[in-house]
Amino acid sequence: MRSQCIWTPCEVLTPLSFKPSTFFTFSFSKQLLLPDKSIAAISSTRRGISSYPSLMASSPSLKDAVSTQNESTQKTQQPLQQVAKRLEKFKTTIFTQMSSLAIKHGAINLGQGFPNFDGPEFVKEAAIQAIKDGKNQYARGYGVPDFSSAIAERFKKDTGLVVDPEKEITVTSGCTEAIAATMLGLINPGDEVILFAPFYDSYEATLSMAGAKIKCITLHPPDFAVPIDELKSAITQDTRAVLINTPHNPTGKMFSREELSTIASLCIENDVLVFTDEVYDKLAFELDHISMASLPGMYERTVTLNSLGKTFSLTGWKIGWAIAPPHLTWGVRQAHSFLTFATSTPMQWAAAVALRAPESYYVELKRDYMAKKEILVEGLKAVGFKVFPSSGTYFVVVDHTPFGLENDIAFCEYLIKEVGVVAIPTSVFYLNPEDGKNLVRFTFCKDEGTLRAAVDRMKEKLKRK
């Protein structure tokens, strides 16, 4: 039975049906807020005290009493956390939580998707040279011209499409900002946007900021295929966009040509935009990556989002971009102008050098990651996990249920504290956490020694039940 979940910013996040361990309760618990009248009462009390300086001055005992009471209150009460209603449901990201716990417990971090090895020397040297050459002031808002040209050159090689770097490319501070600028620049409050769950967590947050109504189509293991009939029924006259991530985080799924063509036809028929996150396009192992914009009739309604970090192991540089026709680029650039305005100048010059790397770089990159993937996948199978196919990205999703823990949160807590390995619970990637409670995600963007050490720990300490 395919599941569809719908969430709007005004709705309250429903509690999980399973009981999370107390170790991670803060990830899903509702934020405690006092009623408006209680906050008003506190404000009124404070105004009342400060409104009578003469009374305070003329009565030392009262002044002392109030001072003592205030000091006591300050020691025992902390100010309420304040956040806009559209962001009330979002807590500290799971990636931040897990990386902190990895450090606390001395665990091997196969959770957050950042390499534990450095990017290529020729790119780093280009950044150093740019700094030495004085390229250190604000860049042009939508990108250093040479970098925009390099993006256009790379896009032509990959897709056959010729784009105007001056009018159709916007450089951003990582793909996460490109996502935010696209949502905030092109989505109006009340617009429907369709996501495929599980999904990268920033999608929901930025759509919430834009006031969108989210419709969610759940992809199910083992193959995480798109339920086309469900997608057809989800598209309405209010649907503004469909957001696709291929290769797909967290599952490693790559959308097939047939799936993309069907989605494209539905979008053309219903005048719907497509936002496509392609940051893992160079980490496609078993299928060729297909960019949605390259399909017939799709470039004019597609925003293609990408970044430097995954391909060149330089995630800390936060260099991303959005490619779109001029009428869509306008909205993206308007939002970008008031988010970050410009992106690191010397890093853009270095990124231009990176994108002009010879094809041999990409061949070697894929070969190295395939070797890492084999170490992790074979190791996880030997430990006793059910491992689902991963055709791209540097992630693998597994079924943890053979080990007897009640859900993904409990399993990841146990794995960190008792085994010394970090994975990511996938329930955080779903609007309905129940859909992901049996799955966890591992990453293999680590050196081979780290991957083998993590597998050895799991073989030694993780037992099937």
Side-chain angles (χ1 to χ4, degrees):
M1 184 74 178
R2 300 295 187 184
S3 61
Q4 177 176 323
C5 40
I6 300 175
W7 173 86
T8 58
C10 61
E11 293 174 348
V12 179
L13 182 65
T14 55
L16 302 183
S17 61
F18 55 80
K19 180 181 179 182
S21 63
T22 55
F23 190 65
F24 281 104
T25 300
F26 61 87
S27 298
F28 295 96
S29 61
K30 296 175 184 173
Q31 188 174 359
L32 179 61
L33 295 174
L34 288 178
D36 291 343
K37 63 180 181 180
S38 298
I39 297 173
I42 293 172
S43 301
S44 175
T45 301
R46 290 175 176 168
R47 285 196 299 270
I49 291 173
S50 61
S51 297
Y52 300 115
S54 59
L55 176 61
M56 296 284 285
S58 62
S59 178
S61 59
L62 177 58
K63 180 179 179 180
D64 293 342
V66 171
S67 176
T68 302
Q69 182 179 7
N70 285 344
E71 290 175 4
S72 175
T73 301
Q74 289 174 0
K75 291 178 181 178
T76 58
Q77 294 183 353
Q78 296 296 324
L80 290 174
Q81 291 182 338
Q82 297 184 34
V83 64
K85 290 184 181 299
R86 60 185 173 274
L87 293 177
E88 280 179 353
K89 66 171 287 186
F90 300 103
K91 311 302 177 185
T92 302
T93 71
I94 194 66
F95 309 109
T96 299
Q97 295 172 32
M98 289 301 180
S99 294
S100 298
L101 292 169
I103 296 171
K104 179 179 179 180
H105 293 278
I108 297 173
N109 192 349
L110 300 188
Q112 189 171 3
F114 61 85
N116 69 340
F117 47 86
D118 217 352
E121 288 298 320
F122 76 94
V123 183
K124 293 187 293 182
E125 288 298 327
I128 293 169
Q129 190 61 50
I131 293 170
K132 289 181 176 179
D133 289 345
K135 296 171 179 175
N136 301 306
Q137 306 309 321
Y138 288 130
R140 186 178 63 172
Y142 53 91
V144 167
D146 188 54
F147 182 38
S148 296
S149 295
I151 294 169
E153 293 163 16
R154 185 72 249 176
F155 196 59
K156 182 181 178 182
K157 286 182 181 179
D158 293 340
T159 67
L161 295 171
V162 176
V163 299
D164 185 342
E166 292 298 303
K167 298 179 180 178
E168 299 177 284
I169 292 174
T170 306
V171 176
T172 60
S173 297
C175 189
T176 299
E177 196 227 328
I179 293 165
T182 299
M183 307 304 182
L184 295 173
L186 295 173
I187 298 298
N188 290 309
D191 284 349
E192 291 181 356
V193 178
I194 295 175
L195 303 182
F196 294 98
F199 50 76
Y200 177 49
D201 60 351
S202 82
Y203 299 163
E204 183 187 0
T206 52
L207 284 170
S208 175
M209 288 186 238
K213 178 180 179 181
I214 298 173
K215 282 189 172 180
C216 180
I217 306 296
T218 300
L219 308 179
H220 296 275
D223 58 356
F224 299 97
V226 176
I228 297 299
D229 289 339
E230 186 177 350
L231 177 61
K232 288 180 180 178
S233 65
I235 295 177
T236 71
Q237 62 181 4
D238 295 323
T239 302
R240 171 67 167 163
V242 176
L243 201 164
I244 297 171
N245 175 209
T246 182
H248 182 256
N249 174 18
T251 68
K253 168 192 170 59
M254 293 186 65
F255 283 65
S256 68
R257 182 174 292 276
E258 180 181 2
E259 288 174 326
L260 291 173
S261 296
T262 302
I263 295 169
S265 296
L266 289 170
C267 290
I268 292 171
E269 178 184 344
N270 293 278
D271 193 23
V272 171
L273 301 178
V274 175
F275 306 146
T276 175
D277 178 350
E278 302 182 8
V279 295
Y280 299 101
D281 62 336
K282 299 304 179 190
L283 299 178
F285 306 119
E286 291 150 23
L287 297 171
D288 290 333
H289 170 72
I290 301 169
S291 181
M292 176 63 89
S294 68
L295 298 184
M298 285 308 295
Y299 181 74
E300 290 301 310
R301 63 179 64 252
T302 300
V303 180
T304 304
L305 309 164
N306 212 322
S307 74
L308 189 81
K310 308 300 189 295
T311 303
F312 290 92
S313 303
L314 297 165
T315 59
W317 284 21
K318 297 298 290 180
I319 302 293
W321 57 87
I323 302 174
H327 66 280
L328 298 180
T329 290
W330 173 249
V332 175
R333 287 185 178 179
Q334 285 295 93
H336 165 68
S337 294
F338 299 104
L339 287 171
T340 60
F341 173 68
T343 297
S344 172
T345 303
M347 300 312 182
Q348 288 192 60
W349 284 97
V353 173
L355 290 189
R356 294 184 174 114
E359 292 304 309
S360 59
Y361 173 81
Y362 300 100
V363 173
E364 184 177 348
L365 176 77
K366 186 180 293 188
R367 184 182 67 240
D368 288 349
Y369 268 117
M370 288 182 73
K372 296 176 191 298
K373 176 186 173 184
E374 184 177 5
I375 292 171
L376 181 60
V377 168
E378 294 307 313
L380 292 171
K381 289 179 178 177
V383 171
F385 289 100
K386 181 178 181 181
V387 182
F388 297 110
S390 174
S391 299
T393 75
Y394 41 52
F395 302 117
V396 173
V397 167
V398 304
D399 185 332
H400 68 80
T401 56
F403 301 98
L405 280 299
E406 61 180 329
N407 56 60
D408 59 328
I409 304 291
F411 175 81
C412 287
E413 174 186 351
Y414 179 86
L415 192 67
I416 292 173
K417 296 176 69 175
E418 304 299 330
V419 180
V421 176
V422 180
I424 296 290
T426 67
S427 57
V428 301
F429 301 128
Y430 293 82
L431 290 188
N432 178 11
E434 279 283 312
D435 289 340
K437 71 175 184 177
N438 292 337
L439 307 176
V440 297
R441 188 196 79 179
F442 290 93
T443 184
F444 51 89
C445 59
K446 311 296 176 182
D447 63 76
E448 294 186 6
T450 298
L451 294 171
R452 295 184 193 280
V455 168
D456 288 344
R457 286 190 184 187
M458 288 187 281
K459 285 181 178 178
E460 177 186 355
K461 299 180 181 180
L462 193 56
K463 304 301 180 184
R464 296 180 63 139
K465 295 180 182 179

